[in-house]
PDB file of all heavy atoms in Angstrom:
ATOM      1  N   ALA P   1     -23.207  11.572  14.650  1.00  0.00           N
ATOM      2  CA  ALA P   1     -24.624  11.278  14.964  1.00  0.00           C
ATOM      3  C   ALA P   1     -25.239  10.157  14.225  1.00  0.00           C
ATOM      4  O   ALA P   1     -26.144   9.574  14.594  1.00  0.00           O
ATOM      5  CB  ALA P   1     -25.406  12.628  14.715  1.00  0.00           C
ATOM      6  N   ALA P   2     -24.664   9.905  12.942  1.00  0.00           N
ATOM      7  CA  ALA P   2     -25.188   8.797  12.140  1.00  0.00           C
ATOM      8  C   ALA P   2     -24.432   7.534  12.291  1.00  0.00           C
ATOM      9  O   ALA P   2     -24.603   6.593  11.420  1.00  0.00           O
ATOM     10  CB  ALA P   2     -25.147   9.291  10.646  1.00  0.00           C
ATOM     11  N   GLY P   3     -23.604   7.484  13.306  1.00  0.00           N
ATOM     12  CA  GLY P   3     -22.797   6.193  13.559  1.00  0.00           C
ATOM     13  C   GLY P   3     -21.492   6.153  12.932  1.00  0.00           C
ATOM     14  O   GLY P   3     -20.791   5.189  13.101  1.00  0.00           O
ATOM     15  N   GLU P   4     -21.156   7.151  12.148  1.00  0.00           N
ATOM     16  CA  GLU P   4     -19.862   7.256  11.510  1.00  0.00           C
ATOM     17  C   GLU P   4     -18.816   7.545  12.581  1.00  0.00           C
ATOM     18  O   GLU P   4     -19.112   8.055  13.630  1.00  0.00           O
ATOM     19  CB  GLU P   4     -19.857   8.256  10.391  1.00  0.00           C
ATOM     20  CG  GLU P   4     -19.783   9.690  10.885  1.00  0.00           C
ATOM     21  CD  GLU P   4     -21.081  10.313  11.178  1.00  0.00           C
ATOM     22  OE1 GLU P   4     -22.089   9.525  11.353  1.00  0.00           O
ATOM     23  OE2 GLU P   4     -21.151  11.533  11.313  1.00  0.00           O
ATOM     24  N   PHE P   5     -17.509   7.246  12.245  1.00  0.00           N
ATOM     25  CA  PHE P   5     -16.327   7.633  13.157  1.00  0.00           C
ATOM     26  C   PHE P   5     -15.522   8.638  12.439  1.00  0.00           C
ATOM     27  O   PHE P   5     -15.253   8.494  11.313  1.00  0.00           O
ATOM     28  CB  PHE P   5     -15.596   6.393  13.420  1.00  0.00           C
ATOM     29  CG  PHE P   5     -16.196   5.421  14.413  1.00  0.00           C
ATOM     30  CD1 PHE P   5     -16.954   4.379  14.029  1.00  0.00           C
ATOM     31  CD2 PHE P   5     -16.156   5.783  15.777  1.00  0.00           C
ATOM     32  CE1 PHE P   5     -17.485   3.531  15.010  1.00  0.00           C
ATOM     33  CE2 PHE P   5     -16.781   4.899  16.673  1.00  0.00           C
ATOM     34  CZ  PHE P   5     -17.505   3.841  16.250  1.00  0.00           C
ATOM     35  N   TRP P   6     -15.217   9.707  13.232  1.00  0.00           N
ATOM     36  CA  TRP P   6     -14.245  10.729  12.820  1.00  0.00           C
ATOM     37  C   TRP P   6     -12.879  10.316  13.325  1.00  0.00           C
ATOM     38  O   TRP P   6     -12.784  10.094  14.635  1.00  0.00           O
ATOM     39  CB  TRP P   6     -14.705  12.063  13.213  1.00  0.00           C
ATOM     40  CG  TRP P   6     -15.949  12.479  12.590  1.00  0.00           C
ATOM     41  CD1 TRP P   6     -17.213  12.390  13.058  1.00  0.00           C
ATOM     42  CD2 TRP P   6     -16.106  13.124  11.229  1.00  0.00           C
ATOM     43  NE1 TRP P   6     -18.156  12.961  12.227  1.00  0.00           N
ATOM     44  CE2 TRP P   6     -17.428  13.303  11.038  1.00  0.00           C
ATOM     45  CE3 TRP P   6     -15.208  13.465  10.333  1.00  0.00           C
ATOM     46  CZ2 TRP P   6     -17.924  13.926   9.903  1.00  0.00           C
ATOM     47  CZ3 TRP P   6     -15.635  14.054   9.141  1.00  0.00           C
ATOM     48  CH2 TRP P   6     -17.005  14.309   8.916  1.00  0.00           C
ATOM     49  N   VAL P   7     -11.943  10.322  12.562  1.00  0.00           N
ATOM     50  CA  VAL P   7     -10.579   9.909  12.955  1.00  0.00           C
ATOM     51  C   VAL P   7      -9.554  11.049  12.655  1.00  0.00           C
ATOM     52  O   VAL P   7      -9.349  11.373  11.467  1.00  0.00           O
ATOM     53  CB  VAL P   7     -10.174   8.617  12.191  1.00  0.00           C
ATOM     54  CG1 VAL P   7      -8.741   8.075  12.633  1.00  0.00           C
ATOM     55  CG2 VAL P   7     -11.146   7.501  12.307  1.00  0.00           C
ATOM     56  N   GLY P   8      -9.074  11.592  13.724  1.00  0.00           N
ATOM     57  CA  GLY P   8      -8.072  12.626  13.540  1.00  0.00           C
ATOM     58  C   GLY P   8      -6.687  12.083  13.653  1.00  0.00           C
ATOM     59  O   GLY P   8      -6.335  11.405  14.636  1.00  0.00           O
ATOM     60  N   THR P   9      -5.874  12.426  12.647  1.00  0.00           N
ATOM     61  CA  THR P   9      -4.398  11.980  12.667  1.00  0.00           C
ATOM     62  C   THR P   9      -3.466  13.051  12.570  1.00  0.00           C
ATOM     63  O   THR P   9      -3.902  14.294  12.710  1.00  0.00           O
ATOM     64  CB  THR P   9      -4.222  11.106  11.335  1.00  0.00           C
ATOM     65  OG1 THR P   9      -4.184  11.945  10.224  1.00  0.00           O
ATOM     66  CG2 THR P   9      -5.377  10.101  11.105  1.00  0.00           C
ATOM     67  N   ARG P  10      -2.234  12.750  12.528  1.00  0.00           N
ATOM     68  CA  ARG P  10      -1.188  13.756  12.455  1.00  0.00           C
ATOM     69  C   ARG P  10      -1.130  14.404  11.058  1.00  0.00           C
ATOM     70  O   ARG P  10      -0.291  15.331  10.744  1.00  0.00           O
ATOM     71  CB  ARG P  10       0.211  13.225  12.761  1.00  0.00           C
ATOM     72  CG  ARG P  10       0.291  12.845  14.191  1.00  0.00           C
ATOM     73  CD  ARG P  10       1.615  12.569  14.678  1.00  0.00           C
ATOM     74  NE  ARG P  10       1.809  12.167  16.083  1.00  0.00           N
ATOM     75  CZ  ARG P  10       2.983  12.083  16.652  1.00  0.00           C
ATOM     76  NH1 ARG P  10       4.057  12.418  16.025  1.00  0.00           N
ATOM     77  NH2 ARG P  10       2.981  11.783  17.964  1.00  0.00           N
ATOM     78  N   ASN P  11      -2.000  13.968  10.150  1.00  0.00           N
ATOM     79  CA  ASN P  11      -1.954  14.496   8.777  1.00  0.00           C
ATOM     80  C   ASN P  11      -3.309  14.604   8.188  1.00  0.00           C
ATOM     81  O   ASN P  11      -3.598  14.219   7.052  1.00  0.00           O
ATOM     82  CB  ASN P  11      -0.995  13.592   7.906  1.00  0.00           C
ATOM     83  CG  ASN P  11      -0.783  14.134   6.525  1.00  0.00           C
ATOM     84  OD1 ASN P  11      -0.715  15.387   6.502  1.00  0.00           O
ATOM     85  ND2 ASN P  11      -0.570  13.368   5.610  1.00  0.00           N
ATOM     86  N   GLY P  12      -4.267  15.076   8.987  1.00  0.00           N
ATOM     87  CA  GLY P  12      -5.629  15.314   8.489  1.00  0.00           C
ATOM     88  C   GLY P  12      -6.742  14.495   9.217  1.00  0.00           C
ATOM     89  O   GLY P  12      -6.481  13.805  10.155  1.00  0.00           O
ATOM     90  N   LEU P  13      -7.943  14.736   8.663  1.00  0.00           N
ATOM     91  CA  LEU P  13      -9.132  14.120   9.304  1.00  0.00           C
ATOM     92  C   LEU P  13      -9.768  13.136   8.364  1.00  0.00           C
ATOM     93  O   LEU P  13      -9.683  13.313   7.068  1.00  0.00           O
ATOM     94  CB  LEU P  13     -10.160  15.263   9.585  1.00  0.00           C
ATOM     95  CG  LEU P  13     -11.561  14.950  10.133  1.00  0.00           C
ATOM     96  CD1 LEU P  13     -11.405  14.438  11.594  1.00  0.00           C
ATOM     97  CD2 LEU P  13     -12.460  16.107  10.088  1.00  0.00           C
ATOM     98  N   ASN P  14     -10.452  12.120   8.948  1.00  0.00           N
ATOM     99  CA  ASN P  14     -11.041  11.065   8.148  1.00  0.00           C
ATOM    100  C   ASN P  14     -12.372  10.810   8.676  1.00  0.00           C
ATOM    101  O   ASN P  14     -12.582  10.769   9.845  1.00  0.00           O
ATOM    102  CB  ASN P  14     -10.242   9.744   8.235  1.00  0.00           C
ATOM    103  CG  ASN P  14      -8.736   9.930   7.842  1.00  0.00           C
ATOM    104  OD1 ASN P  14      -8.332   9.794   6.671  1.00  0.00           O
ATOM    105  ND2 ASN P  14      -7.938  10.357   8.706  1.00  0.00           N
ATOM    106  N   ARG P  15     -13.353  10.440   7.720  1.00  0.00           N
ATOM    107  CA  ARG P  15     -14.686  10.014   8.100  1.00  0.00           C
ATOM    108  C   ARG P  15     -14.786   8.501   7.684  1.00  0.00           C
ATOM    109  O   ARG P  15     -14.633   8.210   6.506  1.00  0.00           O
ATOM    110  CB  ARG P  15     -15.757  10.906   7.400  1.00  0.00           C
ATOM    111  CG  ARG P  15     -17.150  10.523   7.809  1.00  0.00           C
ATOM    112  CD  ARG P  15     -18.145  11.326   6.951  1.00  0.00           C
ATOM    113  NE  ARG P  15     -19.535  11.043   7.384  1.00  0.00           N
ATOM    114  CZ  ARG P  15     -20.243  10.121   6.912  1.00  0.00           C
ATOM    115  NH1 ARG P  15     -19.770   9.184   6.107  1.00  0.00           N
ATOM    116  NH2 ARG P  15     -21.478   9.946   7.425  1.00  0.00           N
ATOM    117  N   LEU P  16     -15.078   7.664   8.719  1.00  0.00           N
ATOM    118  CA  LEU P  16     -15.020   6.265   8.405  1.00  0.00           C
ATOM    119  C   LEU P  16     -16.463   5.767   8.640  1.00  0.00           C
ATOM    120  O   LEU P  16     -17.018   5.990   9.672  1.00  0.00           O
ATOM    121  CB  LEU P  16     -14.089   5.573   9.410  1.00  0.00           C
ATOM    122  CG  LEU P  16     -14.149   3.943   9.433  1.00  0.00           C
ATOM    123  CD1 LEU P  16     -13.645   3.371   8.167  1.00  0.00           C
ATOM    124  CD2 LEU P  16     -13.430   3.483  10.645  1.00  0.00           C
ATOM    125  N   ASP P  17     -16.919   5.089   7.499  1.00  0.00           N
ATOM    126  CA  ASP P  17     -18.245   4.387   7.638  1.00  0.00           C
ATOM    127  C   ASP P  17     -17.999   2.960   8.244  1.00  0.00           C
ATOM    128  O   ASP P  17     -17.346   2.181   7.570  1.00  0.00           O
ATOM    129  CB  ASP P  17     -18.819   4.273   6.260  1.00  0.00           C
ATOM    130  CG  ASP P  17     -20.240   3.690   6.299  1.00  0.00           C
ATOM    131  OD1 ASP P  17     -20.537   2.809   7.141  1.00  0.00           O
ATOM    132  OD2 ASP P  17     -21.080   3.994   5.464  1.00  0.00           O
ATOM    133  N   PRO P  18     -18.469   2.661   9.403  1.00  0.00           N
ATOM    134  CA  PRO P  18     -18.133   1.389  10.042  1.00  0.00           C
ATOM    135  C   PRO P  18     -18.840   0.225   9.335  1.00  0.00           C
ATOM    136  O   PRO P  18     -18.411  -0.933   9.607  1.00  0.00           O
ATOM    137  CB  PRO P  18     -18.642   1.479  11.556  1.00  0.00           C
ATOM    138  CG  PRO P  18     -19.734   2.504  11.448  1.00  0.00           C
ATOM    139  CD  PRO P  18     -19.342   3.463  10.313  1.00  0.00           C
ATOM    140  N   VAL P  19     -19.748   0.439   8.549  1.00  0.00           N
ATOM    141  CA  VAL P  19     -20.482  -0.644   7.829  1.00  0.00           C
ATOM    142  C   VAL P  19     -19.657  -1.060   6.544  1.00  0.00           C
ATOM    143  O   VAL P  19     -19.346  -2.257   6.326  1.00  0.00           O
ATOM    144  CB  VAL P  19     -21.950  -0.335   7.563  1.00  0.00           C
ATOM    145  CG1 VAL P  19     -22.598  -1.435   6.672  1.00  0.00           C
ATOM    146  CG2 VAL P  19     -22.704   0.023   8.771  1.00  0.00           C
ATOM    147  N   SER P  20     -19.453  -0.063   5.737  1.00  0.00           N
ATOM    148  CA  SER P  20     -18.706  -0.271   4.473  1.00  0.00           C
ATOM    149  C   SER P  20     -17.256  -0.223   4.549  1.00  0.00           C
ATOM    150  O   SER P  20     -16.471  -0.557   3.704  1.00  0.00           O
ATOM    151  CB  SER P  20     -19.251   0.677   3.491  1.00  0.00           C
ATOM    152  OG  SER P  20     -18.826   2.070   3.741  1.00  0.00           O
ATOM    153  N   ASN P  21     -16.748   0.377   5.679  1.00  0.00           N
ATOM    154  CA  ASN P  21     -15.335   0.656   5.898  1.00  0.00           C
ATOM    155  C   ASN P  21     -14.771   1.670   4.875  1.00  0.00           C
ATOM    156  O   ASN P  21     -13.566   1.749   4.647  1.00  0.00           O
ATOM    157  CB  ASN P  21     -14.454  -0.556   5.847  1.00  0.00           C
ATOM    158  CG  ASN P  21     -14.632  -1.464   7.082  1.00  0.00           C
ATOM    159  OD1 ASN P  21     -14.720  -0.951   8.129  1.00  0.00           O
ATOM    160  ND2 ASN P  21     -14.696  -2.727   6.903  1.00  0.00           N
ATOM    161  N   GLY P  22     -15.719   2.476   4.296  1.00  0.00           N
ATOM    162  CA  GLY P  22     -15.246   3.549   3.372  1.00  0.00           C
ATOM    163  C   GLY P  22     -14.721   4.641   4.096  1.00  0.00           C
ATOM    164  O   GLY P  22     -15.139   5.024   5.243  1.00  0.00           O
ATOM    165  N   VAL P  23     -13.784   5.324   3.514  1.00  0.00           N
ATOM    166  CA  VAL P  23     -13.107   6.455   4.170  1.00  0.00           C
ATOM    167  C   VAL P  23     -13.210   7.712   3.258  1.00  0.00           C
ATOM    168  O   VAL P  23     -12.907   7.630   2.055  1.00  0.00           O
ATOM    169  CB  VAL P  23     -11.557   6.194   4.443  1.00  0.00           C
ATOM    170  CG1 VAL P  23     -10.895   7.386   4.942  1.00  0.00           C
ATOM    171  CG2 VAL P  23     -11.440   4.978   5.376  1.00  0.00           C
ATOM    172  N   VAL P  24     -13.545   8.858   3.962  1.00  0.00           N
ATOM    173  CA  VAL P  24     -13.541  10.191   3.156  1.00  0.00           C
ATOM    174  C   VAL P  24     -12.433  10.964   3.938  1.00  0.00           C
ATOM    175  O   VAL P  24     -12.416  11.014   5.187  1.00  0.00           O
ATOM    176  CB  VAL P  24     -14.832  10.866   3.299  1.00  0.00           C
ATOM    177  CG1 VAL P  24     -14.745  12.270   2.673  1.00  0.00           C
ATOM    178  CG2 VAL P  24     -16.003  10.046   2.645  1.00  0.00           C
ATOM    179  N   ARG P  25     -11.559  11.500   3.130  1.00  0.00           N
ATOM    180  CA  ARG P  25     -10.396  12.197   3.685  1.00  0.00           C
ATOM    181  C   ARG P  25     -10.524  13.687   3.697  1.00  0.00           C
ATOM    182  O   ARG P  25     -11.132  14.253   2.663  1.00  0.00           O
ATOM    183  CB  ARG P  25      -9.119  11.868   2.997  1.00  0.00           C
ATOM    184  CG  ARG P  25      -8.752  10.331   3.049  1.00  0.00           C
ATOM    185  CD  ARG P  25      -7.842   9.931   1.851  1.00  0.00           C
ATOM    186  NE  ARG P  25      -6.674  10.785   1.715  1.00  0.00           N
ATOM    187  CZ  ARG P  25      -5.400  10.283   1.828  1.00  0.00           C
ATOM    188  NH1 ARG P  25      -5.135   9.004   2.020  1.00  0.00           N
ATOM    189  NH2 ARG P  25      -4.360  11.112   1.594  1.00  0.00           N
ATOM    190  N   TYR P  26     -10.116  14.358   4.735  1.00  0.00           N
ATOM    191  CA  TYR P  26     -10.159  15.855   4.852  1.00  0.00           C
ATOM    192  C   TYR P  26      -8.782  16.288   5.168  1.00  0.00           C
ATOM    193  O   TYR P  26      -8.327  16.525   6.371  1.00  0.00           O
ATOM    194  CB  TYR P  26     -11.094  16.232   5.969  1.00  0.00           C
ATOM    195  CG  TYR P  26     -12.589  15.902   5.712  1.00  0.00           C
ATOM    196  CD1 TYR P  26     -13.062  14.591   6.059  1.00  0.00           C
ATOM    197  CD2 TYR P  26     -13.528  16.742   5.231  1.00  0.00           C
ATOM    198  CE1 TYR P  26     -14.354  14.277   5.856  1.00  0.00           C
ATOM    199  CE2 TYR P  26     -14.832  16.438   5.032  1.00  0.00           C
ATOM    200  CZ  TYR P  26     -15.275  15.171   5.381  1.00  0.00           C
ATOM    201  OH  TYR P  26     -16.603  14.884   5.211  1.00  0.00           O
ATOM    202  N   PRO P  27      -7.926  16.542   4.158  1.00  0.00           N
ATOM    203  CA  PRO P  27      -6.531  16.915   4.331  1.00  0.00           C
ATOM    204  C   PRO P  27      -6.544  18.472   4.710  1.00  0.00           C
ATOM    205  O   PRO P  27      -7.425  19.180   4.545  1.00  0.00           O
ATOM    206  CB  PRO P  27      -5.910  16.631   3.113  1.00  0.00           C
ATOM    207  CG  PRO P  27      -6.974  16.771   2.014  1.00  0.00           C
ATOM    208  CD  PRO P  27      -8.205  16.290   2.727  1.00  0.00           C
ATOM    209  N   ALA P  28      -5.338  18.867   5.176  1.00  0.00           N
ATOM    210  CA  ALA P  28      -5.044  20.297   5.388  1.00  0.00           C
ATOM    211  C   ALA P  28      -5.072  20.963   4.040  1.00  0.00           C
ATOM    212  O   ALA P  28      -4.708  20.434   3.075  1.00  0.00           O
ATOM    213  CB  ALA P  28      -3.803  20.524   6.217  1.00  0.00           C
ATOM    214  N   GLY P  29      -5.494  22.259   4.052  1.00  0.00           N
ATOM    215  CA  GLY P  29      -5.548  23.005   2.842  1.00  0.00           C
ATOM    216  C   GLY P  29      -4.989  24.475   3.052  1.00  0.00           C
ATOM    217  O   GLY P  29      -4.369  24.701   3.987  1.00  0.00           O
ATOM    218  N   THR P  30      -5.531  25.322   2.201  1.00  0.00           N
ATOM    219  CA  THR P  30      -5.199  26.781   2.277  1.00  0.00           C
ATOM    220  C   THR P  30      -6.447  27.478   2.742  1.00  0.00           C
ATOM    221  O   THR P  30      -7.580  26.977   2.679  1.00  0.00           O
ATOM    222  CB  THR P  30      -4.580  27.341   0.971  1.00  0.00           C
ATOM    223  OG1 THR P  30      -5.671  27.198  -0.010  1.00  0.00           O
ATOM    224  CG2 THR P  30      -3.377  26.540   0.570  1.00  0.00           C
ATOM    225  N   ALA P  31      -6.320  28.758   2.985  1.00  0.00           N
ATOM    226  CA  ALA P  31      -7.433  29.501   3.360  1.00  0.00           C
ATOM    227  C   ALA P  31      -8.434  29.642   2.171  1.00  0.00           C
ATOM    228  O   ALA P  31      -9.625  29.904   2.378  1.00  0.00           O
ATOM    229  CB  ALA P  31      -6.968  30.974   3.761  1.00  0.00           C
ATOM    230  N   GLN P  32      -7.942  29.577   0.941  1.00  0.00           N
ATOM    231  CA  GLN P  32      -8.805  29.656  -0.220  1.00  0.00           C
ATOM    232  C   GLN P  32      -9.508  28.315  -0.529  1.00  0.00           C
ATOM    233  O   GLN P  32     -10.553  28.235  -1.229  1.00  0.00           O
ATOM    234  CB  GLN P  32      -7.984  30.105  -1.424  1.00  0.00           C
ATOM    235  CG  GLN P  32      -7.532  31.485  -1.388  1.00  0.00           C
ATOM    236  CD  GLN P  32      -6.372  31.769  -0.469  1.00  0.00           C
ATOM    237  OE1 GLN P  32      -5.525  30.817  -0.260  1.00  0.00           O
ATOM    238  NE2 GLN P  32      -6.217  32.876   0.188  1.00  0.00           N
ATOM    239  N   SER P  33      -9.037  27.172  -0.064  1.00  0.00           N
ATOM    240  CA  SER P  33      -9.582  25.937  -0.313  1.00  0.00           C
ATOM    241  C   SER P  33     -10.502  25.471   0.861  1.00  0.00           C
ATOM    242  O   SER P  33     -10.643  26.186   1.904  1.00  0.00           O
ATOM    243  CB  SER P  33      -8.503  24.875  -0.430  1.00  0.00           C
ATOM    244  OG  SER P  33      -7.924  24.576   0.765  1.00  0.00           O
ATOM    245  N   GLN P  34     -11.154  24.361   0.729  1.00  0.00           N
ATOM    246  CA  GLN P  34     -12.024  23.912   1.773  1.00  0.00           C
ATOM    247  C   GLN P  34     -11.314  22.840   2.680  1.00  0.00           C
ATOM    248  O   GLN P  34     -11.920  22.257   3.414  1.00  0.00           O
ATOM    249  CB  GLN P  34     -13.239  23.146   1.074  1.00  0.00           C
ATOM    250  CG  GLN P  34     -14.237  24.091   0.449  1.00  0.00           C
ATOM    251  CD  GLN P  34     -14.856  25.075   1.370  1.00  0.00           C
ATOM    252  OE1 GLN P  34     -15.364  24.728   2.465  1.00  0.00           O
ATOM    253  NE2 GLN P  34     -14.717  26.295   1.073  1.00  0.00           N
ATOM    254  N   GLY P  35     -10.047  22.767   2.561  1.00  0.00           N
ATOM    255  CA  GLY P  35      -9.180  21.894   3.482  1.00  0.00           C
ATOM    256  C   GLY P  35      -9.191  22.504   4.816  1.00  0.00           C
ATOM    257  O   GLY P  35      -9.588  23.627   5.096  1.00  0.00           O
ATOM    258  N   LEU P  36      -8.741  21.663   5.753  1.00  0.00           N
ATOM    259  CA  LEU P  36      -8.631  22.114   7.124  1.00  0.00           C
ATOM    260  C   LEU P  36      -7.549  23.045   7.373  1.00  0.00           C
ATOM    261  O   LEU P  36      -6.590  23.140   6.542  1.00  0.00           O
ATOM    262  CB  LEU P  36      -8.243  20.804   7.984  1.00  0.00           C
ATOM    263  CG  LEU P  36      -9.338  19.689   8.006  1.00  0.00           C
ATOM    264  CD1 LEU P  36      -8.757  18.516   8.939  1.00  0.00           C
ATOM    265  CD2 LEU P  36     -10.684  20.166   8.626  1.00  0.00           C
ATOM    266  N   SER P  37      -7.591  23.874   8.432  1.00  0.00           N
ATOM    267  CA  SER P  37      -6.608  24.857   8.621  1.00  0.00           C
ATOM    268  C   SER P  37      -5.320  24.265   9.107  1.00  0.00           C
ATOM    269  O   SER P  37      -4.255  24.854   8.782  1.00  0.00           O
ATOM    270  CB  SER P  37      -7.155  25.799   9.749  1.00  0.00           C
ATOM    271  OG  SER P  37      -8.309  26.446   9.307  1.00  0.00           O
ATOM    272  N   GLY P  38      -5.284  23.140   9.754  1.00  0.00           N
ATOM    273  CA  GLY P  38      -4.116  22.477  10.190  1.00  0.00           C
ATOM    274  C   GLY P  38      -4.193  20.981   9.933  1.00  0.00           C
ATOM    275  O   GLY P  38      -5.247  20.372  10.072  1.00  0.00           O
ATOM    276  N   GLY P  39      -3.077  20.330   9.693  1.00  0.00           N
ATOM    277  CA  GLY P  39      -3.054  18.998   9.354  1.00  0.00           C
ATOM    278  C   GLY P  39      -3.057  18.022  10.648  1.00  0.00           C
ATOM    279  O   GLY P  39      -3.596  16.976  10.664  1.00  0.00           O
ATOM    280  N   PHE P  40      -2.359  18.505  11.729  1.00  0.00           N
ATOM    281  CA  PHE P  40      -2.176  17.698  12.917  1.00  0.00           C
ATOM    282  C   PHE P  40      -3.423  17.934  13.763  1.00  0.00           C
ATOM    283  O   PHE P  40      -3.566  18.845  14.554  1.00  0.00           O
ATOM    284  CB  PHE P  40      -0.927  18.219  13.687  1.00  0.00           C
ATOM    285  CG  PHE P  40      -0.476  17.333  14.712  1.00  0.00           C
ATOM    286  CD1 PHE P  40       0.807  16.809  14.782  1.00  0.00           C
ATOM    287  CD2 PHE P  40      -1.304  16.833  15.783  1.00  0.00           C
ATOM    288  CE1 PHE P  40       1.317  15.909  15.701  1.00  0.00           C
ATOM    289  CE2 PHE P  40      -0.820  15.918  16.719  1.00  0.00           C
ATOM    290  CZ  PHE P  40       0.506  15.442  16.725  1.00  0.00           C
ATOM    291  N   VAL P  41      -4.396  16.952  13.675  1.00  0.00           N
ATOM    292  CA  VAL P  41      -5.705  17.137  14.377  1.00  0.00           C
ATOM    293  C   VAL P  41      -5.491  16.633  15.808  1.00  0.00           C
ATOM    294  O   VAL P  41      -5.161  15.485  16.061  1.00  0.00           O
ATOM    295  CB  VAL P  41      -6.764  16.285  13.698  1.00  0.00           C
ATOM    296  CG1 VAL P  41      -8.079  16.334  14.424  1.00  0.00           C
ATOM    297  CG2 VAL P  41      -6.994  16.705  12.181  1.00  0.00           C
ATOM    298  N   SER P  42      -5.764  17.516  16.705  1.00  0.00           N
ATOM    299  CA  SER P  42      -5.530  17.281  18.153  1.00  0.00           C
ATOM    300  C   SER P  42      -6.834  17.160  18.993  1.00  0.00           C
ATOM    301  O   SER P  42      -6.722  16.595  20.097  1.00  0.00           O
ATOM    302  CB  SER P  42      -4.639  18.392  18.820  1.00  0.00           C
ATOM    303  OG  SER P  42      -5.202  19.596  18.437  1.00  0.00           O
ATOM    304  N   ALA P  43      -7.963  17.558  18.490  1.00  0.00           N
ATOM    305  CA  ALA P  43      -9.230  17.570  19.250  1.00  0.00           C
ATOM    306  C   ALA P  43     -10.382  17.528  18.327  1.00  0.00           C
ATOM    307  O   ALA P  43     -10.400  18.156  17.295  1.00  0.00           O
ATOM    308  CB  ALA P  43      -9.327  18.752  20.194  1.00  0.00           C
ATOM    309  N   LEU P  44     -11.444  16.808  18.672  1.00  0.00           N
ATOM    310  CA  LEU P  44     -12.678  16.654  18.019  1.00  0.00           C
ATOM    311  C   LEU P  44     -13.858  16.792  18.980  1.00  0.00           C
ATOM    312  O   LEU P  44     -13.830  16.326  20.077  1.00  0.00           O
ATOM    313  CB  LEU P  44     -12.789  15.262  17.227  1.00  0.00           C
ATOM    314  CG  LEU P  44     -11.809  15.024  16.176  1.00  0.00           C
ATOM    315  CD1 LEU P  44     -11.939  13.577  15.700  1.00  0.00           C
ATOM    316  CD2 LEU P  44     -11.913  16.001  15.027  1.00  0.00           C
ATOM    317  N   LEU P  45     -14.945  17.466  18.528  1.00  0.00           N
ATOM    318  CA  LEU P  45     -16.137  17.607  19.326  1.00  0.00           C
ATOM    319  C   LEU P  45     -17.250  17.638  18.477  1.00  0.00           C
ATOM    320  O   LEU P  45     -17.360  18.540  17.491  1.00  0.00           O
ATOM    321  CB  LEU P  45     -16.032  18.859  20.168  1.00  0.00           C
ATOM    322  CG  LEU P  45     -17.358  19.249  20.873  1.00  0.00           C
ATOM    323  CD1 LEU P  45     -17.642  18.385  22.086  1.00  0.00           C
ATOM    324  CD2 LEU P  45     -17.272  20.704  21.474  1.00  0.00           C
ATOM    325  N   LEU P  46     -18.193  16.835  18.648  1.00  0.00           N
ATOM    326  CA  LEU P  46     -19.514  16.894  17.892  1.00  0.00           C
ATOM    327  C   LEU P  46     -20.578  17.644  18.830  1.00  0.00           C
ATOM    328  O   LEU P  46     -20.859  17.184  19.986  1.00  0.00           O
ATOM    329  CB  LEU P  46     -20.121  15.491  17.620  1.00  0.00           C
ATOM    330  CG  LEU P  46     -21.217  15.449  16.624  1.00  0.00           C
ATOM    331  CD1 LEU P  46     -20.777  15.723  15.212  1.00  0.00           C
ATOM    332  CD2 LEU P  46     -21.870  14.095  16.661  1.00  0.00           C
ATOM    333  N   ASP P  47     -20.944  18.866  18.452  1.00  0.00           N
ATOM    334  CA  ASP P  47     -21.742  19.639  19.294  1.00  0.00           C
ATOM    335  C   ASP P  47     -23.281  19.276  19.197  1.00  0.00           C
ATOM    336  O   ASP P  47     -23.655  18.423  18.400  1.00  0.00           O
ATOM    337  CB  ASP P  47     -21.625  21.181  19.107  1.00  0.00           C
ATOM    338  CG  ASP P  47     -22.166  21.670  17.781  1.00  0.00           C
ATOM    339  OD1 ASP P  47     -22.940  20.892  17.080  1.00  0.00           O
ATOM    340  OD2 ASP P  47     -21.911  22.853  17.398  1.00  0.00           O
TER     341      ASP P  47
END
């Protein structure tokens, strides 16, 4: 919604700022952590 790009890869999710080209990574984790449930990201939807 703010113009950023979400990039799903075979090893996690990334948030890309198209102005600064900065990347925030969201790797897969465990149920106890804040990581993703699975690393191979296959679908994205902004509701």
Side-chain angles (χ1 to χ4, degrees):
E4 75 277 15
F5 284 98
W6 294 97
V7 183
T9 74
R10 291 191 180 195
N11 190 30
L13 177 69
N14 306 266
R15 182 184 185 276
L16 171 68
D17 184 329
V19 177
S20 68
N21 288 320
V23 174
V24 178
R25 298 160 49 123
Y26 297 79
T30 63
Q32 291 76 29
S33 74
Q34 289 300 310
L36 298 177
S37 299
F40 195 125
V41 178
S42 53
L44 295 173
L45 170 72
L46 192 74
D47 71 12

